[in-house]
Structures are given as structure tokens and as C-alpha cells.
């Protein structure tokens, strides 16, 4: 098997102390400068709380930035190393479940990587100082949706962020998705990636498809084999299955997707009640017919025997 | 023995009833289509279903308002009020008729007259359906039409889930009501008499001479 060596970690207090040296300056929300060549603002501030809460909160800053940053003023020759998640995550067994190699392949096949080349990296979406997995661990689907959509909206609701990468101006999201009713509701309950990625085996599909291949058919979500079960609710469904073998409870607790939300018991109950009603009516109608016919023949008999 | 004809249902009532029935069917059909939506071709397109469902729902709500207003204005609303004093006994009597008497060819226990068109069971059922269940469907329906007005969380359930679930259950109850309503409508003088009455306004009943009443051999 691959990946024997766990990534080295330092004790938490030591990390905090070491990072405090950098955060003394970099926690300032206003730390930044305007780039002389392109006039764009470079934000140099790191939010310490977000950083600590992030998946990398236990790492020292210099794990990713070289030790040379420990001196200030930082040496002018320091250039930021282009880091990729897999530089560190190729081999850690603890993290195998995330399938980093698979994600990398999907990323490379995504529209972003294809169109924008190496201007677009894992860190374009995953803020190195606040990234935190949600879908896999969160019980609150709405929070996952908010977090994941925010990732896309960093650029797709921010014209200057787009222009930094592409000369092609993007139409407004509301305009592009005008065909989708209840947009606010959908933005809050379904993710961009649920419609915009190809289904894959990794925990979160990273293969953003060209827009022509995005999901537009309502029934892909609004039906009993909703694609949401394979994407947004993937982890919930797995948890539910292992916990009590019943698939729909979590989903029912958080969301009602017409066509997709089926409470098993309610469904059975409704069929039974409906069936009994129909059966009751059929029996009643049958009896009416039967006794009606009998009465008619008795009447007939009586009339033939001369009774009124 | 003669057929007795009386004018029961004024034009406005028949128009309301016809429209209500048509919208009801439209809502049940599209509602089922949404609840059991699937990618199979047999289904009406999801978006079309939603559109039709919305239009029918709004029309039914307006029709309902007209119904309430005209009921108040014409006094027809009184038809729905059971005699409270004897309500339980009356309902049992009517239930017994449906369970036994009807097979023996007994006469209806409560004669229908233009002043009292509904039997006690009908009164109570219609009262509940028209003044509790249908308003429930309308209110939850409006909630789903403009979800922004809904309470977000109720006891840990999303307000939308609760509203949706209530709406679905109500839709189901109303479908059952429709089945029963259609069936019991066949228990008139002839199986089609009540349907004709609802179209023409004229109610026919087999008017039997007083003497043979209740003296079956």
C-alpha cells in the first residue's frame, strides 16, 4: 500500500506561538498593497480565527511558506512557491478517503483547468487559510450549500476576480439561470456543483463541465432517484444507511425536494389508505347491486303472483 | 309513485361547483405528477406541471373566495350547519343507512328539500372540507408559491418541509374525499340523478307515498 508516513505535526501550543509571530502583522485586516504593474489590490491579511478553525489550522505558516519569511522585512527575492495540495497529500494514509489523486484528475479535466491552464489551481477555490471540508462532516446541509456555493461566488459574483483570469466577461448569474424558478430557494438548497459537475466516485466531484452539459432538467433532482442523493446528500445517505438503515429521514429533516422526498412509511400508508378506500367503495357498490337485483326479482315475483 | 322534480341548485352554485371540480381534477393530476415525478416519458413535463398546478391553485383560491362570499350573500352557507342538538344521533342514523338501509332499499332517513339539501353526514363532511381542509390547502399552497414568507425553522424541521408535507397530506385527503364524494353521488334516485341535478339544477327523487315508508315486508 501507499502512504506509510503520516505527515509530521507539531504540538498545538508551539504552532500557535510560532504563527503568532507572523499573525502579529498578518492578522491586520488592512494589510495589503496595490500592485504597481496591474493596479490590483493584494490582500495580505489572514484571519486568525478562520485559520485556526480550518483544516490546516494546526500547521505552522512556514510549512507552506518558506522559513525565510521569518525575517522582516521579508527578503525581496522571496517568491511564493506554487503549492499544490498533492505536494503534501499524496501519501498520507489518514487522508486516503479523500482520494486526492482522483480529485486531481477530475480537476485537470474541468473547464477551469482546461481554459485557464495553470492560472487556476486548487487554491483558486480552496482559500489556503480558511479551507474546511463541509459536505463530509456537516450534519447541516444548508451550511454545506452556503459554504460550497460561496467558493464559486468568490469569482462568479465578482467581476474583477473573473477579469483577473479571463478576458471574457461573464454574464450575470441571475440572467444565465433565469429559467430556474425560486432562484433564492435553489441557491440556498442546492449547490452549483450539483448541476455543474459530472458524477464521479470521489467525495466531491471536481469535474466542472462545460456549461452546455450542466443539469437543466428539473426531474434530475425532483424525482425519487434524485441526483442529489449521489452528490449533496451522498454522505448523509451513507450515514443514514449505516445508522438505521433508513434513507430518507435526514433529508426529510432538512429539506423537501418535491418529487424526491419520499418518506417510506408515509408512502406505504398512503397506498394502503387509498387502496382500502377504493376496496370499500367497490364492496359497497357490489352489495348495492346484489341486493338491488334481489329486490327487483322479488318485486317481479310478487307482481306476477298478483300482489301489488 | 312519481318522480318529483325540484329546483335545488342555482346557476351560480353550479358554475362554482363545475369550476371547482375541474380545478380539483387538474390539481390532483398535476400534484400526483409532481409528487411522483420521474424522468420517464409518461410524465407530464415537470415545469409544465408546476405551471398548471400554480395556475389551477390560484384560480381555485379565487373561486373559493367567491364561494364564501356568495354563501354569505345568498344564505346558502346555512346548508352546511348541522343541527347541533341532535348531531351525533343524526350522523349515526345516516351512517346506518349507508351501511345497512341502503341495501334493503330503505328510504333516505333525511328527506332532502331545497331548505335542507344535505344530510347530516354531508353537512359535517362538507363543513370540514370547505372550511378547514380546503383553506389549509390554499394557505400552504400560497406558502409554497412564495416560499420567502415561510417560517424557516419549526422545531428543527424546515418550515418549507412542514408546509410541503402538510400540503401533500391535505392533497391526499382531498383526493380521498373526491372518491367518496363521487361514489356517494351515485346513491340518488338513480345512479346518475345527482350528477344531472348538479348540471341542470333540478333535483329528482323517487317520491314514495307516505304509507309504504319504512314498512318493507
Amino acid at each position: 500500500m501507499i502512504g506509510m508516513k503520516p505527515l509530521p505535526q507539531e504540538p498545538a501550543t508551539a504552532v500557535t506561538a510560532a504563527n503568532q509571530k507572523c499573525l502579529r502583522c498578518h492578522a491586520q485586516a488592512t494589510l495589503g498593497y496595490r500592485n504597481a504593474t496591474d493596479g490590483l489590490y493584494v490582500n495580505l491579511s489572514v484571519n486568525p480565527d478562520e485559520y485556526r478553525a480550518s483544516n490546516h489550522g494546526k500547521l505552522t505558516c512556514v510549512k507552506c511558506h518558506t522559513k525565510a519569511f521569518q525575517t522582516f522585512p521579508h527578503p525581496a527575492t522571496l517568491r511564493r512557491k506554487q503549492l499544490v495540495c498533492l505536494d503534501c497529500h499524496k501519501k498520507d494514509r489518514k487522508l486516503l478517503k479523500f482520494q486526492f489523486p482522483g480529485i486531481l484528475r477530475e480537476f485537470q479535466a474541468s473547464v477551469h483547468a482546461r481554459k485557464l491552464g495553470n492560472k487556476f489551481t486548487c487554491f483558486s477555490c480552496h482559500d489556503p487559510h480558511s479551507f474546511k471540508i463541509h459536505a463530509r462532516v456537516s450534519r447541516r446541509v444548508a451550511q454545506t450549500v452556503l459554504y460550497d456555493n460561496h467558493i464559486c461566488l468568490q469569482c462568479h459574483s465578482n467581476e474583477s476576480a473573473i477579469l483577473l483570469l479571463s478576458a471574457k466577461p461573464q454574464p450575470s448569474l441571475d440572467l444565465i439561470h433565469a429559467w430556474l424558478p425560486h432562484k433564492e430557494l435553489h441557491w440556498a438548497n442546492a449547490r452549483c456543483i450539483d448541476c455543474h459537475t459530472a458524477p464521479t466516485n470521489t467525495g466531491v466531484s471536481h469535474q466542472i463541465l462545460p456549461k452546455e452539459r450542466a443539469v437543466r432538467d428539473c426531474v434530475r433532482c425532483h424525482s425519487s432517484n434524485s441526483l442529489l442523493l449521489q452528490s449533496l446528500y451522498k454522505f448523509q445517505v451513507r450515514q443514514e444507511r449505516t445508522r438505521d438503515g433508513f434513507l430518507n429521514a435526514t433529508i426529510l429533516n432538512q429539506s423537501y425536494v418535491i418529487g424526491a422526498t419520499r418518506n417510506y412509511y408515509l408512502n406505504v400508508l398512503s397506498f394502503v389508505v387509498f387502496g382500502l378506500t377504493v376496496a370499500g367503495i367497490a364492496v359497497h357498490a357490489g352489495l348495492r347491486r346484489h341486493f338491488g337485483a334481489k329486490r327487483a326479482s322479488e318485486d317481479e315475483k310478487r307482481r306476477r303472483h298478483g300482489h301489488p | 309513485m312519481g318522480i318529483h322534480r325540484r329546483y335545488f341548485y342555482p346557476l351560480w352554485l353550479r358554475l362554482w361547483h363545475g369550476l371547482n371540480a375541474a380545478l380539483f381534477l387538474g390539481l390532483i393530476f398535476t400534484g400526483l405528477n409532481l409528487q411522483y415525478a420521474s424522468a420517464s416519458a409518461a410524465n407530464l413535463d415537470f415545469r409544465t406541471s408546476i405551471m398548471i398546478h400554480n395556475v389551477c391553485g390560484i384560480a381555485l383560491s379565487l373561486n373559493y373566495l367567491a364561494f364564501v362570499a356568495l354563501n354569505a350573500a345568498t344564505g346558502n352557507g346555512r346548508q352546511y350547519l348541522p343541527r347541533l342538538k341532535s348531531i351525533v344521533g343524526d350522523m349515526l342514523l345516516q351512517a346506518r343507512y349507508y351501511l345497512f338501509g341502503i341495501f334493503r332499499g330503505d328510504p333516505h332517513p333525511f328527506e332532502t328539500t331545497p331548505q335542507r339539501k344535505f344530510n347530516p353526514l354531508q353537512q359535517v363532511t362538507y363543513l370540514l372540507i370547505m372550511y378547514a381542509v380546503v383553506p389549509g390547502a390554499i394557505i400552504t399552497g400560497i406558502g409554497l408559491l412564495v416560499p420567502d414568507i415561510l417560517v424557516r425553522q419549526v422545531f428543527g424541521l424546515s418550515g418549507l418541509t412542514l408546509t410541503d408535507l402538510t400540503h401533500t397530506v391535505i392533497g391526499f385527503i382531498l383526493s380521498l374525499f373526491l372518491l367518496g364524494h363521487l361514489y356517494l353521488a351515485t346513491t340518488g334516485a338513480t345512479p346518475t340523478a345527482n350528477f344531472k341535478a348538479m348540471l341542470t339544477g333540478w333535483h329528482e327523487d323517487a317520491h314514495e307515498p307516505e304509507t309504504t315508508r319504512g314498512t318493507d315486508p
Side-chain angles (χ1 to χ4, degrees):
Chain A
M1 291 297 294
I2 42 161
M4 290 121 305
K5 199 172 68 173
L7 292 167
Q9 268 185 54
E10 285 142 89
T13 44
V15 171
T16 316
N19 286 352
Q20 206 46 49
K21 287 193 194 122
C22 315
L23 289 171
R24 188 162 56 90
C25 296
H26 285 286
Q28 290 166 39
T30 50
L31 192 65
Y33 64 90
R34 199 163 286 284
N35 196 315
T37 47
D38 55 14
L40 290 164
Y41 182 74
V42 180
N43 184 358
L44 297 176
S45 85
V46 172
N47 181 320
D49 295 329
E50 280 182 11
Y51 182 79
R52 259 192 302 276
S54 79
N55 282 149
H56 294 116
K58 290 189 198 136
L59 301 191
T60 54
C61 309
V62 292
K63 237 253 134 69
C64 294
H65 303 289
T66 66
K67 284 213 165 67
F69 276 107
Q70 281 164 336
T71 57
F72 190 82
H74 302 314
T77 52
L78 271 187
R79 309 245 26 237
R80 201 163 66 208
K81 235 190 346 174
Q82 268 277 6
L83 277 169
V84 189
C85 312
L86 272 84
D87 289 346
C88 304
H89 284 309
K90 224 173 272 168
K91 292 208 178 110
D92 190 349
R93 175 175 286 171
K94 233 174 58 190
L95 302 180
L96 274 184
K97 60 179 180 215
F98 291 107
Q99 298 171 276
F100 277 93
I103 290 183
L104 178 64
R105 275 195 301 278
E106 290 167 18
F107 167 73
Q108 282 159 350
S110 75
V111 271
H112 291 123
R114 287 195 166 167
K115 287 198 170 177
L116 304 168
N118 56 11
K119 276 192 287 183
F120 207 88
T121 70
C122 305
F123 290 110
S124 302
C125 285
H126 295 299
D127 182 322
H129 311 122
S130 65
F131 166 61
K132 193 167 165 229
I133 52 169
H134 271 70
R136 183 182 287 276
V137 290
S138 170
R139 300 271 303 156
R140 301 259 308 118
V141 169
Q143 231 147 32
T144 301
V145 172
L146 189 70
Y147 179 86
D148 289 6
N149 284 358
H150 175 73
I151 288 182
C152 312
L153 294 175
Q154 293 173 76
C155 290
H156 286 288
S157 67
N158 180 350
E159 215 172 319
S160 53
I162 291 279
L163 288 177
L164 212 54
L165 293 164
S166 164
K168 220 178 77 188
Q170 293 279 308
S172 101
L173 280 190
D174 275 349
L175 221 61
I176 309 165
H177 302 96
W179 47 273
L180 188 66
H182 294 312
K183 258 188 292 300
E184 292 307 321
L185 193 71
H186 279 103
W187 290 166
N189 291 285
R191 297 177 302 179
C192 315
I193 51 174
D194 294 326
C195 287
H196 281 288
T197 60
T200 60
N201 291 326
T202 53
V204 175
S205 172
H206 277 68
Q207 192 177 339
I208 316 261
L209 297 165
K211 59 178 182 239
E212 296 78 22
R213 290 177 59 197
V215 171
R216 187 196 276 272
D217 186 2
C218 320
V219 176
R220 294 281 297 284
C221 288
H222 290 283
S223 61
S224 57
N225 58 345
S226 177
L227 68 82
L228 293 175
L229 294 174
Q230 308 308 320
S231 54
L232 181 57
Y233 290 110
K234 193 176 206 163
F235 298 109
Q236 308 269 336
V237 168
R238 238 180 252 164
Q239 279 175 15
E240 281 295 311
R241 283 220 180 99
T242 48
R243 211 152 36 86
D244 43 21
F246 179 50
L247 180 148
N248 237 329
T250 320
I251 302 174
L252 198 62
N253 283 342
Q254 312 209 6
S255 190
Y256 191 102
V257 189
I258 319 175
T261 305
R262 304 267 171 94
N263 181 294
Y264 175 77
Y265 298 111
L266 275 185
N267 218 21
V268 169
L269 184 71
S270 70
F271 277 117
V272 169
V273 171
F274 194 82
L276 285 178
T277 308
V278 172
I281 289 178
V283 168
H284 198 271
L287 288 175
R288 259 171 76 201
R289 243 182 108 92
H290 173 76
F291 287 113
K294 219 162 105 183
R295 270 201 317 277
S297 77
E298 276 165 9
D299 284 353
E300 181 71 7
K301 239 184 279 169
R302 239 178 292 152
R303 203 172 311 137
R304 242 187 278 139
H305 291 281
H307 296 291
Chain B
M1 195 158 170
I3 293 279
H4 197 83
R5 291 181 92 228
R6 281 167 301 174
Y7 193 58
F8 255 40
Y9 307 114
L11 183 64
W12 74 263
L13 193 66
R14 283 179 282 143
L15 286 179
W16 168 78
H17 186 265
L19 188 56
N20 200 50
L23 294 173
F24 229 79
L25 290 175
L27 284 165
I28 290 177
F29 177 71
T30 51
L32 280 174
N33 209 40
L34 294 175
Q35 167 76 1
Y36 297 103
S38 82
S40 82
N43 259 302
L44 194 60
D45 174 63
F46 189 83
R47 231 180 321 175
T48 316
S49 293
I50 286 203
M51 214 250 298
I52 298 176
H53 200 79
N54 288 349
V55 170
C56 287
I58 293 169
L60 185 121
S61 308
L62 295 177
N63 200 30
Y64 180 77
L65 290 182
F67 171 76
V68 172
L70 284 163
N71 260 343
T74 62
N76 184 62
R78 279 198 296 276
Q79 299 282 348
Y80 293 85
L81 303 175
R83 263 196 320 224
L84 275 181
K85 259 188 291 176
S86 54
I87 177 173
V88 177
D90 287 355
M91 281 168 70
L92 285 177
L93 203 59
Q94 184 65 32
R96 209 163 59 208
Y97 169 73
Y98 282 137
L99 288 177
F100 307 106
I102 193 171
F103 303 127
R104 292 198 300 257
D106 288 358
H108 289 260
F110 297 91
E111 204 187 347
T112 45
T113 67
Q115 288 73 42
R116 198 171 197 282
K117 290 183 281 195
F118 303 144
N119 69 48
L121 272 187
Q122 278 176 314
Q123 284 176 327
V124 172
T125 314
Y126 292 174
L127 191 69
L128 283 176
I129 292 287
M130 289 315 293
Y131 291 100
V133 184
V134 167
I138 292 177
I139 290 167
T140 50
I142 292 173
L144 300 179
L145 199 61
V146 264
D148 322 65
I149 63 175
L150 291 180
V151 192
R152 293 214 178 249
Q153 287 279 320
V154 186
F155 302 125
L157 276 178
S158 97
L160 190 66
T161 300
L162 222 63
T163 317
D164 260 323
L165 216 57
T166 315
H167 194 76
T168 313
V169 170
I170 288 180
F172 179 67
I173 292 174
L174 288 175
S175 313
L176 289 187
F177 165 75
L178 182 63
L179 273 186
H181 187 56
L182 283 174
Y183 175 63
L184 290 179
T186 67
T187 62
T190 65
T192 54
N194 284 334
F195 294 97
K196 281 192 201 131
M198 231 29 241
L199 289 175
T200 62
W202 288 91
H203 182 86
E204 294 182 355
D205 46 359
H207 200 69
E208 302 166 38
E210 284 299 310
T211 46
T212 59
R213 266 238 168 132
T215 54
D216 265 26

